[in-house]
Amino acid sequence: MSHDRPVADEPEIVVSGRGFTARFDGERLRLVRGRNTWTVPVRAMRLVTVAADTTVRIELSGDGREARHGLGAEIVLSCRNANAAAAFAGSLQRALRARGTVADGHALVEVETRKRATDPRHRRRARVAGAVVAYVALLVALGAFSDDPGTAWLILGPISWTGPAGVGLVWFCWVWLVRDLVALRRRGVTVAGHCDRVTRAFGGNVLYTPVLSYRTVEGRSLSQVRSRGFASASMWLTGSGPVDVTYDPLDPARASIPVTRTHLGWTVFLSAFGVALVLVWVVGVALVLLG
């Protein structure tokens, strides 16, 4: 009988126990535990038995002492009841009789380790939570280190927010005001475009962003693209008009007008203010450490 043809009319059967989930489709046994999945063809099995009514034992053919799949010479599956164990073992035994056994079944066993899939948002939240805990622990340690109750209160109270606020402001400037413009300067392509209108940036009434339309050198037309740079005062007054647009060939929807004095001025102001807040925090910590 052909070894490749599955046993007729055999449904996929599933059992779970002892950390394993086992699925048998009539031709291959798939074992899942954690992030590891083992695939064991029927021909790799030498003997299938039922022990203690609810335990299925699967012996693999050949010498398993040098096998690297991690299953050992025998696979032990615990089932929830005797009926499940009998049905699972019976399905394996019928398939084994139909296909026979190879000399070295361990060589046929395949193992796959699934990479840990973590949502980037979860990683960011975990890092933020860890940073908050570490920062609170640092403040408590500095307060306990200080002999002056007034200085300790200053560190734990008014000055405690300046460090995180300053770091956050500098990070905001880099992510929202600088990073994209640096990337565009390194690899951007400049074409003639059009400013269709200006819109509020970050939901405020002070800064405005041009909304652009342009055509790439490959002939792709883009519209309703918000510039990564702020509009100038004259652009804010006119609202529309021709303008040079620099876009990223790797992401044509990332584009900006030439850097304006408005954008540069706000970037320098906010960055300097963030650095000043950090310096206030550093001076406060130095006062505690130096007494």
Side-chain angles (χ1 to χ4, degrees):
M1 184 175 291
S2 172
H3 289 170
D4 297 325
R5 188 174 67 250
V7 176
D9 301 326
E10 285 282 357
E12 184 177 68
I13 187 168
V14 182
V15 296
S16 59
R18 289 192 179 182
F20 276 107
T21 296
R23 313 178 73 94
F24 181 62
D25 62 1
E27 187 169 347
R28 293 179 180 83
L29 174 66
R30 290 176 61 86
L31 303 169
V32 179
R33 181 173 63 186
R35 294 187 293 120
N36 295 325
T37 300
W38 291 267
T39 301
V40 184
V42 171
R43 292 182 295 162
M45 305 174 193
R46 188 182 70 84
L47 181 65
V48 179
T49 58
V50 178
D53 292 335
T54 60
T55 301
V56 177
R57 294 184 178 274
I58 305 169
E59 296 182 22
L60 303 180
S61 61
D63 186 359
R65 288 177 296 182
E66 296 183 0
R68 297 183 178 181
H69 49 65
L71 292 175
E74 178 181 74
I75 303 170
V76 179
L77 301 174
S78 290
C79 304
R80 295 178 179 176
N81 54 65
N83 291 333
F88 196 80
S91 182
L92 289 171
Q93 290 166 348
R94 288 189 294 274
L96 183 57
R97 286 194 297 269
R99 289 167 177 74
T101 302
V102 298
D104 184 9
H106 294 278
L108 301 181
V109 178
E110 299 177 357
V111 58
E112 178 183 357
T113 300
R114 186 177 67 255
K115 293 182 178 180
R116 191 181 302 275
T118 305
D119 191 331
R121 293 175 296 180
H122 294 168
R123 290 198 296 267
R124 287 195 296 267
R125 291 167 185 168
R127 287 196 293 265
V128 170
V132 169
V133 172
Y135 183 65
V136 171
L138 175 63
L139 291 179
V140 172
L142 290 173
F145 182 82
S146 176
D147 296 329
D148 183 6
T151 304
W153 174 85
L154 190 65
I155 291 297
L156 295 174
I159 294 182
S160 62
W161 63 270
T162 59
V167 172
L169 191 54
V170 172
W171 177 86
F172 169 84
C173 291
W174 166 250
V175 171
W176 292 98
L177 305 180
V178 177
R179 184 174 60 182
D180 286 336
L181 297 182
V182 171
L184 289 172
R185 182 176 180 83
R186 288 178 177 174
R187 59 173 181 262
V189 176
T190 302
V191 295
H194 191 270
C195 173
D196 300 324
R197 58 188 174 88
V198 293
T199 185
R200 293 175 181 176
F202 311 119
N205 294 314
V206 177
L207 301 175
Y208 287 82
T209 300
V211 177
L212 307 172
S213 59
Y214 51 95
R215 183 187 296 270
T216 68
V217 294
E218 291 81 13
R220 177 183 174 186
S221 296
L222 293 97
S223 60
Q224 301 298 312
V225 177
R226 291 179 61 132
S227 171
R228 303 304 169 101
F230 295 141
S232 63
S234 59
M235 188 176 293
W236 177 77
L237 292 174
T238 58
S240 64
V243 67
D244 290 340
V245 177
T246 300
Y247 70 91
D248 186 351
L250 301 181
D251 180 11
R254 175 192 290 177
S256 177
I257 62 173
V259 177
T260 62
R261 285 180 293 181
T262 301
H263 187 98
L264 182 61
W266 277 102
T267 301
V268 172
F269 171 74
L270 293 175
S271 300
F273 189 63
V275 172
L277 291 176
V278 174
L279 290 177
V280 169
W281 184 85
V282 170
V283 171
V285 173
L287 291 176
V288 172
L289 297 178
L290 300 177

